[in-house]
Amino acid sequence: MTLIDRFCSFLLCIALLNPVSARYLSICEGGRTTVTCLPGYVIDIREAFYGRDNQHTCPSGTIHTTTCRASTSETLIRGKCQGRNSCSLLASNSVFGDSCRGTFKYIYLEYQCKENVNSGVRTATICENSQSTISCEQGSTINVLDSFYGRIDRTTCPSGNTYTTSCKAVHSPIYIRGLCQSRKTCTIRATNSVFGDPCYGTYKYVQIKYVCN
C-alpha cells in the first residue's frame, strides 16, 4: 500500500467515524457525481452553487471571470439533494443555465451528513388556487419526505372536476423541496402558474409529507 493509499484510507476512516463532519465537493463542468451519506444519514447542504469563484478549482484556459454564480443553482441543488441519503448532480449549462458565457464552470457543494429522524410525519394539503404556510417549532426545520402537485385520489380536495387520479406535475417535488427543505417555515401556492398543468381540467392540490428535525 502506497503512502497516498494509506492517507486516503485514513481520511475514509475519519469520514466513517464522524459522518456529520463538513464535506466539500467540486464537480467540473460536464461531469456528474453522486453525493452519498452513510445509511441512516441524510444530506444537509451548507452552501452550493454552479459557476466559478476562483482560478484554482477545475483549472482551465477559458476563465474570463471568477465572480459567477447561476442565480437558481442553489435552489435546484437543494431540491435534488437536501434531506436525501444520496443524489446525482450534473454540472452543466443545460441544468443551470450559462451564467458566464465562455468561462469553464463547476458545481461547488459544502454539506454535512445528518442523522435522519423520520418520526412525527406530518401531511399538509393545499387545494388548487390556494396557498398555505407550513412551519416547524423553534429549534427545528422542515425535512420534506414526499411532495407533489396533482391528484392521486377523489377524496382529497373533492371536486366535480376530477377526470383523473393519476396526475403529478413532473418537477413539483424538486420545486417544493427547494422552497421548503431545511427552513423553519415556507409558503406554497397551489396553482398551475407555479407548477404547470399536468392534467388539464382536473382540480388539483399540493400534498407534502414532512417531519420537523
Side-chain angles (χ1 to χ4, degrees), residues 1 12-13 25 34 43 54 75 85 88 113 126 130 132 140 146 159-160 162 165 174 178 181 195 199-200 211:
M1 180 180 287
L12 178 60
C13 287
L25 175 68
T34 298
I43 298 163
N54 65 68
T75 298
N85 176 257
S88 179
C113 289
I126 309 164
S130 300
S132 183
S140 62
D146 189 27
S159 169
T162 302
T165 56
I174 293 176
Q181 187 69 27
F195 297 103
C199 41
Y200 182 77
V211 294

Side-chain angles (χ1 to χ4, degrees), residues 101-116:
R101 187 174 297 275
T103 288
F104 189 64
K105 296 171 283 294
Y106 51 84
I107 288 175
Y108 172 79
L109 180 63
E110 179 183 344
Y111 70 101
Q112 290 179 304
C113 289
K114 294 178 66 176
E115 187 173 1
N116 188 17

Side-chain angles (χ1 to χ4, degrees), residues 65-107:
T65 180
T66 56
T67 56
C68 159
R69 296 190 180 197
S71 60
T72 61
S73 57
E74 181 168 358
T75 298
L76 290 172
I77 293 168
R78 283 183 176 275
K80 286 185 68 67
C81 297
Q82 184 72 25
R84 298 181 182 273
N85 176 257
S86 67
C87 66
S88 179
L89 293 174
L90 173 64
S92 171
N93 294 336
S94 64
V95 176
F96 301 103
D98 192 350
S99 52
C100 42
R101 187 174 297 275
T103 288
F104 189 64
K105 296 171 283 294
Y106 51 84
I107 288 175

